[in-house]
Amino acid sequence: MTEEKQSALNRRELISLGLAGAGLSLLPASGAQAAPAKVKTSARIVIAGAGAAGLASASRLAAALDGAKITIIDPRKQHLYQPGYTLVAAGIKPENYPVSTTAEYIPKGVQWVAERVAEIDPEGNRVVTDSGKSFAYDFLFVTTGLVLDYAAIEGMDEGLIGREGIGSIYHSPQGAFATWREMDRFTQKGGVGVFLRPASEMKCAGAPLKYTFLVEDYLSRRGVRGRSQLIYNAHSKALFSVPVVAEKVRMLFQERGVQVNYERSLKSIDPGRRIATFNTTEGTTELQYDFINVIPPMKAPDAVRNSPLPWQEGKWAKDGWMEVDKGTLRHVRYPNVFGVGDIAGVPKGKTAASVKWQVPVAVDHAVAEMAGTTSKSLYTGYTSCPLVTRLGRAMLVEFDYQNNLLPSFPGVIAPLEELWASWVLKTTALKPTYISMLRGQV
């Protein structure tokens, strides 16, 4: 490429970035209409969980209602920007990059109970904390998130992360940083890298793929790719739930020499021998590794799983995902209960971008009921995955329940092209937008 053409490309990408950054701040949330004035109500609203979905719900409810008693229950003092974990685990951001405090996002007038939700009783319309305190509600927003089930993998212990060639990008900021140290050691000398995703539902299903791409790029940049083998183990017959994206990833893996095994899920790990055992359609198989990115199965927290709220049958019943209407996020059997964020048993939507579109819909329906009206707002499954494919390049993949691609910036950012602009969105622009979401501003 000539210097003149490269310069023109850089200018176009800078323009794209500027438009994208502005667009992310202004992007409407799912078409839900803001109330023209605050709705007067004495409703008691309990929000179970102060993660992204809980804080965003609290902010929007506080802004929409006058006189409501809003209580958010969660013991976590730290708030964690989980989309940043992959960046920490790739050495792109420092360990504390995802960390802030819960307190700074609690809206004025909202009561924060810093305790764990122990019991949810939708028949009695109450939530009980681990200290035995009981909170009655007229409306309940369940925003508990999910649980990483490391114990489901035989031989795996969370204390192994960052040792014996074991990484795990989902665990925590500390775990992500320990993963970076272990990955850094691996990519200095090369060897066999093993990657995977669980057979359960999971948050941000693109993260295992992007981390595989990043490790491959580090090996190439450090000159040891030729003596390294990378193996990605897909849990199903596809690499991604959206067929066109799955095919694009398959092609990129093929170009970059990443071996793909289908219908494999991690059963056990032997850290001493550095052997990972996978379930397959024909039994089990072992893979030797020098580095492995362990991603555990994920399930609903006990407070939800042990309540009447989960699906009673079907693929979402076993792990306790909430039985909500996929369009309104309202519980199918308990209409004064909403499930928002990772806990919702819907076909897609376990990402921070999904929360941005889910929260306004659920809040709109609850507020409309308090006002004596109805809402037509619907969540159509919008999910966004900034799929990093190498240092400095990413694809901004956005889609819905029907696997339709939904580019926010058509003609500017093509969803299946590896662009510098998409990389900068992921590494720079998305966190401020996320914080604005927590404050109910986008």
Side-chain angles (χ1 to χ4, degrees), residues 126-146:
R126 69 188 186 114
V127 172
V128 181
T129 69
D130 52 4
S131 73
K133 294 177 184 174
S134 181
F135 294 85
Y137 64 80
D138 299 301
F139 292 88
L140 172 65
F141 280 67
V142 181
T143 55
T144 54
L146 52 72

Side-chain angles (χ1 to χ4, degrees), residues 10 39 56 63 85 105 107 164 194 213 222 242 276 300 317 358 360 377 405:
N10 290 340
V39 172
Y85 287 10
Y105 307 115
E164 309 294 339
V194 173
F213 280 123
R222 290 171 170 175
V242 180
Q358 289 178 355
S377 297
L405 294 182

Side-chain angles (χ1 to χ4, degrees), residues 2-16:
T2 67
E3 184 176 343
E4 181 179 354
K5 287 183 178 179
Q6 181 64 57
S7 177
L9 175 61
N10 290 340
R11 286 197 300 273
R12 286 197 299 272
E13 290 186 322
L14 281 168
I15 292 170
S16 298

Side-chain angles (χ1 to χ4, degrees), residues 12 39 106 243 279 290 293 327 332 349 367 394 421 428 442:
R12 286 197 299 272
V39 172
I106 301 290
N279 290 316
D290 295 293
N293 181 33
V332 172
V367 170
T428 304
V442 296

Side-chain angles (χ1 to χ4, degrees), residues 267-347:
K267 177 179 186 291
S268 64
I269 191 166
D270 185 337
R273 297 169 57 220
R274 296 202 178 196
I275 296 289
T277 301
F278 288 82
N279 290 316
T280 75
T281 55
E282 299 175 351
T284 62
T285 188
E286 293 183 347
L287 287 177
Q288 181 275 329
Y289 65 84
D290 295 293
F291 175 78
I292 184 170
N293 181 33
V294 175
I295 299 178
M298 303 182 193
K299 63 183 181 180
D302 287 346
V304 176
R305 295 182 72 208
N306 297 332
S307 77
L309 295 176
W311 283 88
Q312 304 299 293
E313 58 184 21
K315 64 179 181 179
W316 294 315
K318 177 177 70 74
D319 293 326
W321 308 116
M322 277 184 61
E323 187 178 9
V324 299
D325 178 88
K326 69 178 185 179
T328 64
L329 289 312
R330 188 191 290 268
H331 199 277
V332 172
R333 289 172 282 114
Y334 300 99
N336 63 335
V337 178
F338 293 85
V340 187
D342 292 347
I343 193 62
V346 297

Side-chain angles (χ1 to χ4, degrees), residues 46 48 59 109 129 134 142 158 162 199 201 209 262 269 271 276 321 323 387 415 436 438:
V46 170
S59 293
T129 69
S134 181
V142 181
E158 295 171 49
E201 297 293 311
L209 299 170
Y262 295 98
I269 191 166
W321 308 116
E323 187 178 9
L387 188 54
S436 294
L438 299 185

Side-chain angles (χ1 to χ4, degrees), residues 89-125:
I92 297 162
K93 297 291 186 181
E95 181 178 347
N96 65 352
Y97 172 71
V99 181
S100 56
T101 65
T102 299
E104 64 195 273
Y105 307 115
I106 301 290
K108 183 179 179 180
V110 172
Q111 179 188 14
W112 176 24
V113 177
E115 296 189 32
R116 184 178 63 87
V117 173
E119 179 186 350
I120 299 174
D121 176 13
E123 299 286 350
N125 292 314

